[in-house]
Amino acid sequence: MIGDTAVSPGGGGFDGLETPCLLLDADILQANVDRMRRHLDGLGVTLRPHLKTAKSLEVARRAMAGPAGPATVSTLREAEYFAEGGVRDVIYAVGIAPQKLDRVGAIRQRWGADLAIVLDSAAQAEAVAAWSRRSGDALPVLIEVDADGHRSGVGPRDAETLVAIGRAVADGASLRGVLLHAGDSYGLSDPAALRRAAEAERVAAVAAAEILRGAGLPCPVVSVGSTPTARYAETLAGVTEVRAGVFMIGDLFQAGVGSCTIDDIALTVLATVIGHQRDKGWIITDAGWMALSRDRGTARQAVDQGYGLACDIAGRPYPDLIVRDANQEHGIVAVRKGAAAGLPDLPVGARLRILPNHACATGAQHDSYHVVADGRLSGEIWPRINGW
């Protein structure tokens, strides 16, 4: 059954686990969710967690306000999986292709899910409206607005395009509001700059919503979201909901941005030492880029974490010990170049945990989480999904 947990081997310790595998600290996860919810409650907006990082019903149940949502997804595979698991209030927050509309409709019909879609052009809007008229299902639509030139979307003050899209949607489908993602916030690290990015996102969202309302079009939902801007927003006047996802799990990239600390990262990859190159100062593990991902996003930040930061079995980082290089199934663990730290004594067979650069990318290499609670393996395995 969707979302059922299994029991892992090894009791309360890690020795019974085959490596590499994914560990998720449920206590850190819950603390992250509680902190974000308190922050957004204080700003008077709804949290609509983005489940693209977690891809797990067990995690979703801890992040959402209730078993039916609200929630955000980035693939229709996620929409199907979460709808089957009882999540009903869902936004598919990637621009829609006309070829996917039948699948959207099937999810709505089969599970009774209120699955909304996103678009940013009149051509998409016309296709959605035509599909809605043919099927008799008025698809709920949000117009994607470009907050910062990062990706897709209509300019927040492009009244002509916004209104044209809104009217095309209304010719069969149902206009629900506007949706923004301040992706450029991921390139920041200064708290003052992040606060400005959050405010710019809010202002853009409100401006677009006011244009639609001024043209007599409905705009009940004003949806913004990125983990950095959600973390640093000081006011969200005019916004109805915030979508953020990686905040609940955290990663080294977000720590570099300042959205979390190292201690807030709930995800690690458990690895085993399989050899040494002592003359090079290398420890070789069985967790290469197939287990960690090839993501090297921290290379552009002030602190380059290689392919991940190495920790002891309790999850405490070793000083300046990183996965400095990675092959498909081999991780090369070494002291960061220029650091004075010594190499820890980790014999063949020793276990270590690796904090990921990018939780989404690392998670995508695995099909389940081995759950840690109170610092020990709980015995639960939470399934997760991949694919589109």
Side-chain angles (χ1 to χ4, degrees), residues 283-367:
I283 298 169
I284 313 298
T285 76
D286 61 355
W289 55 254
M290 282 293 285
L292 302 172
S293 91
R294 278 193 177 275
D295 192 286
R296 292 278 286 107
T298 62
R300 301 189 298 273
Q301 296 182 326
V303 179
D304 183 355
Q305 303 285 16
Y307 286 84
L309 184 60
C311 304
D312 65 18
I313 197 63
R316 297 180 295 254
Y318 289 108
D320 287 311
L321 191 68
I322 62 172
V323 183
R324 208 158 76 187
D325 203 352
N327 303 127
Q328 183 165 331
E329 303 296 350
H330 295 73
I332 299 174
V333 176
V335 174
R336 193 190 315 274
K337 287 183 179 179
L343 201 66
D345 182 17
L346 292 171
V348 169
R351 298 293 179 93
L352 67 162
R353 292 165 65 176
I354 300 164
L355 294 168
N357 279 331
H358 185 175
C360 303
T362 297
Q365 311 303 305
H366 302 265
D367 61 7

Side-chain angles (χ1 to χ4, degrees), residues 29-50:
L29 167 73
Q30 193 62 58
N32 291 341
V33 170
D34 291 346
R35 183 167 52 249
M36 181 63 79
R37 194 172 296 283
R38 285 194 302 271
H39 174 56
L40 296 181
D41 283 350
L43 296 177
V45 297
T46 297
L47 171 61
R48 178 184 287 275
H50 205 314

Side-chain angles (χ1 to χ4, degrees), residues 49 133 210 268 312:
R133 291 193 302 271
E210 288 176 347
T268 52
D312 65 18

